[in-house]
Amino acid sequence: MKHMTRSPDRRPVLDRNGAATAAPPPARTVPRRRPASQQWAAWAFLAPVTLYLVLFYAYPLYRNLDLSLRNYTVRSFVQGDAPFTGLANYRTVFDDPTFAPALLHTAVFTAVCLFFQYAIGLALAVFFNQNFRLSATLRALFLVPWLLPLIVSASTWSWMLNSDSGIINAVLHAVGIGPVNWLTSPSWSLTSVIIANIWIGVPFNLVVLYSGLQSIPGSLYEAAALDGANAWRRFWSITFPLLRPVSAITLLLGLVYTLKVFDIIWIMTKGGPADSSTTFATWSYQLGFGNLLPAFGPGAAVGNLLVVAALVFGLVYLKVQRKQALS
């Protein structure tokens, strides 16, 4: 069958005397243009954000990339005649014997911190979600490690883990365990900075996951309880699945933060002893500023590796979120 396209309704209109008159053509709607003042106002609101992103994100990234592709020295910064070396700085970094240990320490430090920060934060969020007495007060106290300046937190942990006068070794001595060289032993230095960073990152996970729990309707738990589901079953069937979007953004932000942790490690161990707690963040600083003859190019190259790692995980997160939205 042929499909007939229906033409616009042009039926005649009858006047008062019954005579047919032609119907007036339909009025065309002309799209309104925004006044110039509104357009300028929109650009004025966007200008500060754009300027901030260009000055503090785009330009530093460009300069760091340029730094990693040239042979910069102290004299080159003054005279501006650094020769272009291509990927030579990256080859120098990959051939350096510190690269493999630093990569391993960065991976272990990031993975262990993320796991325990999320697990402890989720457990505390579920605990405080019961709304008992003093819940708000205790929740506020848990935020103290997150609110303290990092230099204060790192210095406090350095004192607590001191081999001679630290409170941790004093407690171990009281229970009959010998002293542990937390900060000066290659076997314990990485563990020490991991413990300190977990303590600092738990409050952030607690706050974000607790806010996610508040958005889950209580009627779901009531229905599950009527069906005979215990607390553990309710957690795995209701809480954990509905908390996945919040968990994903929490883990992504924690990953980006943990990859670039520098001050905690530098204050407590300076990446030592014998590079036993060196990560990409501390290694980049050591190359660029920790020697009498700084290697600016290799240091920038190590920093760019961290940027690429964070970018890759960010793209993976966006892809997963897009699949979840389409499903």
Side-chain angles (χ1 to χ4, degrees), residues 19 83 162 203 228 292 310:
N162 187 276
L292 294 177

Side-chain angles (χ1 to χ4, degrees), residues 53 70 97 105 111 121 167-168 173 186 189 218 256 266 289 302 319:
L53 292 176
R70 297 180 180 274
H105 298 158
I167 189 173
I168 303 297
H173 179 73
S189 59
V256 173
W266 190 257
F289 304 99
V302 176
K319 187 175 181 179

Side-chain angles (χ1 to χ4, degrees), residues 104-268:
L104 177 62
H105 298 158
T106 303
V108 171
F109 180 82
T110 303
V112 175
C113 287
L114 275 182
F115 175 79
F116 282 101
Q117 286 174 354
Y118 177 79
I120 298 174
L122 179 58
L124 291 174
V126 173
F127 174 72
F128 286 118
N129 195 41
Q130 300 175 11
N131 294 324
F132 54 90
R133 289 185 62 185
L134 300 178
S135 173
T137 304
L138 293 176
R139 204 165 62 244
L141 291 176
F142 269 99
L143 293 179
V144 173
W146 190 35
L147 300 176
L148 287 176
L150 290 178
I151 188 172
V152 175
S153 301
S155 301
T156 303
W157 276 100
S158 296
W159 168 75
M160 293 173 60
L161 295 174
N162 187 276
S163 301
D164 300 323
S165 58
I167 189 173
I168 303 297
N169 276 348
V171 173
L172 294 178
H173 179 73
V175 296
I177 301 177
V180 178
N181 297 321
W182 295 100
L183 304 177
T184 57
S185 171
S187 303
W188 288 100
S189 59
L190 185 61
T191 303
S192 302
V193 295
I194 287 175
I195 293 173
N197 193 65
I198 290 173
W199 180 78
I200 293 171
V202 164
F204 171 77
N205 287 260
L206 167 62
V207 170
V208 179
L209 295 173
Y210 179 80
S211 63
L213 289 175
Q214 294 296 300
S215 63
I216 300 177
S219 58
L220 296 178
Y221 295 104
E222 296 174 1
L226 292 176
D227 290 338
N230 56 20
W232 188 250
R233 184 63 180 173
R234 291 196 298 269
F235 172 79
W236 283 111
S237 300
I238 299 175
T239 304
F240 196 71
L242 295 181
L243 208 60
R244 281 177 185 170
V246 179
S247 299
I249 190 64
T250 304
L251 290 173
L252 176 65
L253 294 176
L255 174 70
V256 173
Y257 166 78
T258 310
L259 280 174
K260 63 182 184 65
V261 167
F262 163 77
D263 19 30
I264 299 296
I265 302 175
W266 190 257
I267 293 172
M268 293 181 64

Side-chain angles (χ1 to χ4, degrees), residues 96-107 190 274-280:
D96 196 298
T98 310
F99 176 78
L103 177 62
L104 177 62
H105 298 158
T106 303
L190 185 61
D275 293 333
S276 58
S277 59
T278 295
T279 61
F280 276 174

Side-chain angles (χ1 to χ4, degrees), residues 85-100:
T85 58
L87 299 178
N89 290 322
Y90 291 91
R91 287 193 293 269
T92 301
V93 168
F94 292 142
D95 294 337
D96 196 298
T98 310
F99 176 78

